[in-house]
Amino acid sequence: MNLSELHHPISTIINNNTQIREEKLLSICHLLNTSISYYNWVGFYFANHEIQTLHLGPYVGAETDHTVIPFGKGICGQVAVSNANFVVPDVSAQDNYIACSITVKSEIVVPIFVDGINIGQIDIDSHTINAFTVEDEQFLEYVCKEISYVY
């Protein structure tokens, strides 16, 4: 699938005035999980800058114990500090990786900015090693920009 084909459905979800923000985020999780075969876990973490933690928001995929992640810990925690995308081709090669499941082989995390502040991120796990391309990264940047409009 060409990821740009999902731009319109993403915008439609964002502009749906009958859903609250959390419902929109969950709808995006469902859309990405069902439309892209190698997006095996799709979720959002949101920052609490006061206590330097990320908190799990809507997600689709296997249950996770990682509902609160300190800034700096794991891939998500590193993105909270760096404010930069993080693509991990092979999670087993990462020293600061929080293992969610033995089935996860690669991960991508892209921050969401509102007024220049990193408010959270989209986190995607794949059961495929080296699953994510530059196209995925650019697409998820688009998704995060769209999401910023509901904040």
Side-chain angles (χ1 to χ4, degrees):
M1 160 176 279
N2 182 340
L3 296 176
S4 65
E5 293 172 22
L6 294 174
H7 283 207
H8 180 70
I10 294 288
S11 292
T12 300
I13 291 168
I14 293 298
N15 294 313
N16 181 345
N17 293 327
T18 65
Q19 288 185 317
I20 63 170
R21 181 173 44 215
E22 287 71 23
E23 292 171 329
K24 291 178 184 188
L25 294 173
L26 186 58
S27 293
I28 289 170
C29 290
H30 280 291
L31 175 68
L32 298 183
N33 181 255
T34 58
S35 300
I36 305 167
S37 63
Y38 53 96
Y39 283 23
N40 302 116
W41 191 96
V42 179
F44 294 95
Y45 282 92
F46 290 96
N48 181 325
H49 291 281
E50 203 171 289
I51 59 173
Q52 301 277 291
T53 53
L54 294 167
H55 298 265
L56 183 62
Y59 72 95
V60 171
E63 291 289 320
T64 180
D65 293 334
H66 304 114
T67 58
V68 178
I69 299 172
F71 281 17
K73 185 164 174 61
I75 307 309
C76 291
Q78 290 177 77
V79 170
V81 173
S82 72
N83 296 319
N85 301 348
F86 200 152
V87 180
V88 182
D90 180 358
V91 296
S92 69
Q94 281 296 313
D95 292 337
N96 191 7
Y97 174 70
I98 301 172
C100 295
S101 165
I102 60 168
T103 59
V104 175
K105 304 296 183 206
S106 57
E107 181 174 10
I108 185 169
V109 179
V110 176
I112 303 165
F113 293 99
V114 174
D115 298 327
I117 297 168
N118 179 349
I119 64 151
Q121 52 204 233
I122 189 167
D123 177 19
I124 300 179
D125 295 339
S126 180
H127 299 161
T128 304
I129 224 165
N130 201 23
F132 304 108
T133 65
V134 170
E135 185 183 13
D136 289 289
E137 194 171 357
Q138 292 169 343
F139 168 68
L140 293 172
E141 288 171 350
Y142 166 81
V143 170
C144 289
K145 184 175 182 188
E146 289 293 301
I147 288 167
S148 74
Y149 297 134
V150 298
Y151 282 89

